PDB file of all heavy atoms in Angstrom:
ATOM      1  N   THR Z 155       4.278  -3.851 -23.477  1.00  0.00           N
ATOM      2  CA  THR Z 155       4.044  -5.268 -23.758  1.00  0.00           C
ATOM      3  C   THR Z 155       2.891  -5.457 -24.715  1.00  0.00           C
ATOM      4  O   THR Z 155       2.572  -6.600 -25.076  1.00  0.00           O
ATOM      5  CB  THR Z 155       3.762  -6.067 -22.461  1.00  0.00           C
ATOM      6  OG1 THR Z 155       2.591  -5.536 -21.840  1.00  0.00           O
ATOM      7  CG2 THR Z 155       4.936  -5.976 -21.492  1.00  0.00           C
ATOM      8  N   MET Z 156       2.265  -4.373 -25.196  1.00  0.00           N
ATOM      9  CA  MET Z 156       1.256  -4.456 -26.249  1.00  0.00           C
ATOM     10  C   MET Z 156       1.894  -4.446 -27.643  1.00  0.00           C
ATOM     11  O   MET Z 156       1.188  -4.598 -28.645  1.00  0.00           O
ATOM     12  CB  MET Z 156       0.260  -3.291 -26.122  1.00  0.00           C
ATOM     13  CG  MET Z 156      -0.715  -3.447 -24.991  1.00  0.00           C
ATOM     14  SD  MET Z 156      -1.802  -4.905 -25.156  1.00  0.00           S
ATOM     15  CE  MET Z 156      -2.741  -4.474 -26.622  1.00  0.00           C
ATOM     16  N   GLU Z 157       3.184  -4.317 -27.713  1.00  0.00           N
ATOM     17  CA  GLU Z 157       3.888  -4.228 -28.993  1.00  0.00           C
ATOM     18  C   GLU Z 157       3.560  -5.405 -29.926  1.00  0.00           C
ATOM     19  O   GLU Z 157       3.393  -5.195 -31.148  1.00  0.00           O
ATOM     20  CB  GLU Z 157       5.392  -4.085 -28.755  1.00  0.00           C
ATOM     21  CG  GLU Z 157       6.214  -3.876 -29.987  1.00  0.00           C
ATOM     22  CD  GLU Z 157       6.691  -5.193 -30.601  1.00  0.00           C
ATOM     23  OE1 GLU Z 157       6.756  -6.176 -29.856  1.00  0.00           O
ATOM     24  OE2 GLU Z 157       6.977  -5.193 -31.829  1.00  0.00           O
ATOM     25  N   PRO Z 158       3.429  -6.646 -29.454  1.00  0.00           N
ATOM     26  CA  PRO Z 158       3.143  -7.751 -30.385  1.00  0.00           C
ATOM     27  C   PRO Z 158       1.764  -7.719 -31.012  1.00  0.00           C
ATOM     28  O   PRO Z 158       1.526  -8.405 -32.000  1.00  0.00           O
ATOM     29  CB  PRO Z 158       3.292  -9.014 -29.503  1.00  0.00           C
ATOM     30  CG  PRO Z 158       4.032  -8.570 -28.288  1.00  0.00           C
ATOM     31  CD  PRO Z 158       3.655  -7.152 -28.089  1.00  0.00           C
ATOM     32  N   PHE Z 159       0.840  -6.926 -30.449  1.00  0.00           N
ATOM     33  CA  PHE Z 159      -0.548  -6.933 -30.927  1.00  0.00           C
ATOM     34  C   PHE Z 159      -0.736  -5.779 -31.905  1.00  0.00           C
ATOM     35  O   PHE Z 159      -0.901  -4.618 -31.493  1.00  0.00           O
ATOM     36  CB  PHE Z 159      -1.517  -6.825 -29.757  1.00  0.00           C
ATOM     37  CG  PHE Z 159      -1.391  -7.945 -28.753  1.00  0.00           C
ATOM     38  CD1 PHE Z 159      -0.636  -7.779 -27.584  1.00  0.00           C
ATOM     39  CD2 PHE Z 159      -1.998  -9.169 -28.988  1.00  0.00           C
ATOM     40  CE1 PHE Z 159      -0.507  -8.790 -26.679  1.00  0.00           C
ATOM     41  CE2 PHE Z 159      -1.875 -10.206 -28.065  1.00  0.00           C
ATOM     42  CZ  PHE Z 159      -1.122 -10.017 -26.914  1.00  0.00           C
ATOM     43  N   ARG Z 160      -0.743  -6.117 -33.198  1.00  0.00           N
ATOM     44  CA  ARG Z 160      -0.918  -5.065 -34.206  1.00  0.00           C
ATOM     45  C   ARG Z 160      -2.399  -4.718 -34.325  1.00  0.00           C
ATOM     46  O   ARG Z 160      -3.236  -5.585 -34.493  1.00  0.00           O
ATOM     47  CB  ARG Z 160      -0.403  -5.557 -35.560  1.00  0.00           C
ATOM     48  CG  ARG Z 160      -0.465  -4.515 -36.654  1.00  0.00           C
ATOM     49  CD  ARG Z 160       0.195  -4.985 -37.935  1.00  0.00           C
ATOM     50  NE  ARG Z 160       0.122  -3.968 -38.963  1.00  0.00           N
ATOM     51  CZ  ARG Z 160       0.676  -4.088 -40.150  1.00  0.00           C
ATOM     52  NH1 ARG Z 160       1.376  -5.185 -40.462  1.00  0.00           N
ATOM     53  NH2 ARG Z 160       0.577  -3.102 -41.038  1.00  0.00           N
ATOM     54  N   MET Z 161      -2.709  -3.432 -34.226  1.00  0.00           N
ATOM     55  CA  MET Z 161      -4.104  -3.013 -34.192  1.00  0.00           C
ATOM     56  C   MET Z 161      -4.795  -3.278 -35.530  1.00  0.00           C
ATOM     57  O   MET Z 161      -4.197  -3.095 -36.601  1.00  0.00           O
ATOM     58  CB  MET Z 161      -4.204  -1.528 -33.844  1.00  0.00           C
ATOM     59  CG  MET Z 161      -4.015  -1.234 -32.390  1.00  0.00           C
ATOM     60  SD  MET Z 161      -4.174   0.547 -31.975  1.00  0.00           S
ATOM     61  CE  MET Z 161      -2.559   1.127 -32.488  1.00  0.00           C
ATOM     62  N   CYS Z 162      -6.057  -3.679 -35.449  1.00  0.00           N
ATOM     63  CA  CYS Z 162      -6.894  -3.817 -36.637  1.00  0.00           C
ATOM     64  C   CYS Z 162      -7.240  -2.430 -37.160  1.00  0.00           C
ATOM     65  O   CYS Z 162      -6.985  -1.408 -36.501  1.00  0.00           O
ATOM     66  CB  CYS Z 162      -8.148  -4.619 -36.313  1.00  0.00           C
ATOM     67  SG  CYS Z 162      -9.254  -3.790 -35.159  1.00  0.00           S
ATOM     68  N   ALA Z 163      -7.881  -2.366 -38.303  1.00  0.00           N
ATOM     69  CA  ALA Z 163      -8.194  -1.082 -38.920  1.00  0.00           C
ATOM     70  C   ALA Z 163      -9.096  -0.230 -38.034  1.00  0.00           C
ATOM     71  O   ALA Z 163      -8.890   0.987 -37.917  1.00  0.00           O
ATOM     72  CB  ALA Z 163      -8.834  -1.303 -40.284  1.00  0.00           C
ATOM     73  N   ALA Z 164     -10.073  -0.867 -37.391  1.00  0.00           N
ATOM     74  CA  ALA Z 164     -11.011  -0.099 -36.552  1.00  0.00           C
ATOM     75  C   ALA Z 164     -10.288   0.477 -35.322  1.00  0.00           C
ATOM     76  O   ALA Z 164     -10.534   1.642 -34.966  1.00  0.00           O
ATOM     77  CB  ALA Z 164     -12.158  -1.009 -36.118  1.00  0.00           C
ATOM     78  N   CYS Z 165      -9.457  -0.318 -34.684  1.00  0.00           N
ATOM     79  CA  CYS Z 165      -8.712   0.174 -33.547  1.00  0.00           C
ATOM     80  C   CYS Z 165      -7.706   1.251 -33.954  1.00  0.00           C
ATOM     81  O   CYS Z 165      -7.493   2.228 -33.223  1.00  0.00           O
ATOM     82  CB  CYS Z 165      -7.978  -0.970 -32.850  1.00  0.00           C
ATOM     83  SG  CYS Z 165      -9.057  -2.051 -31.876  1.00  0.00           S
ATOM     84  N   GLN Z 166      -7.094   1.083 -35.108  1.00  0.00           N
ATOM     85  CA  GLN Z 166      -6.114   2.067 -35.589  1.00  0.00           C
ATOM     86  C   GLN Z 166      -6.795   3.408 -35.848  1.00  0.00           C
ATOM     87  O   GLN Z 166      -6.241   4.465 -35.545  1.00  0.00           O
ATOM     88  CB  GLN Z 166      -5.449   1.573 -36.855  1.00  0.00           C
ATOM     89  CG  GLN Z 166      -4.245   2.408 -37.297  1.00  0.00           C
ATOM     90  CD  GLN Z 166      -3.065   2.269 -36.348  1.00  0.00           C
ATOM     91  OE1 GLN Z 166      -2.633   1.163 -36.009  1.00  0.00           O
ATOM     92  NE2 GLN Z 166      -2.542   3.403 -35.884  1.00  0.00           N
ATOM     93  N   ARG Z 167      -8.032   3.379 -36.373  1.00  0.00           N
ATOM     94  CA  ARG Z 167      -8.749   4.642 -36.602  1.00  0.00           C
ATOM     95  C   ARG Z 167      -8.995   5.370 -35.292  1.00  0.00           C
ATOM     96  O   ARG Z 167      -8.835   6.591 -35.188  1.00  0.00           O
ATOM     97  CB  ARG Z 167     -10.079   4.374 -37.319  1.00  0.00           C
ATOM     98  CG  ARG Z 167      -9.955   4.155 -38.819  1.00  0.00           C
ATOM     99  CD  ARG Z 167     -11.307   4.235 -39.523  1.00  0.00           C
ATOM    100  NE  ARG Z 167     -12.238   3.209 -39.051  1.00  0.00           N
ATOM    101  CZ  ARG Z 167     -12.314   1.992 -39.571  1.00  0.00           C
ATOM    102  NH1 ARG Z 167     -11.500   1.635 -40.573  1.00  0.00           N
ATOM    103  NH2 ARG Z 167     -13.165   1.107 -39.111  1.00  0.00           N
TER     104      ARG Z 167
END
Side-chain angles (χ1 to χ4, degrees):
T155 61
M156 285 298 294
E157 185 270 337
F159 300 97
R160 184 173 180 177
M161 283 181 281
C162 66
C165 285
Q166 191 69 51
R167 280 194 298 273

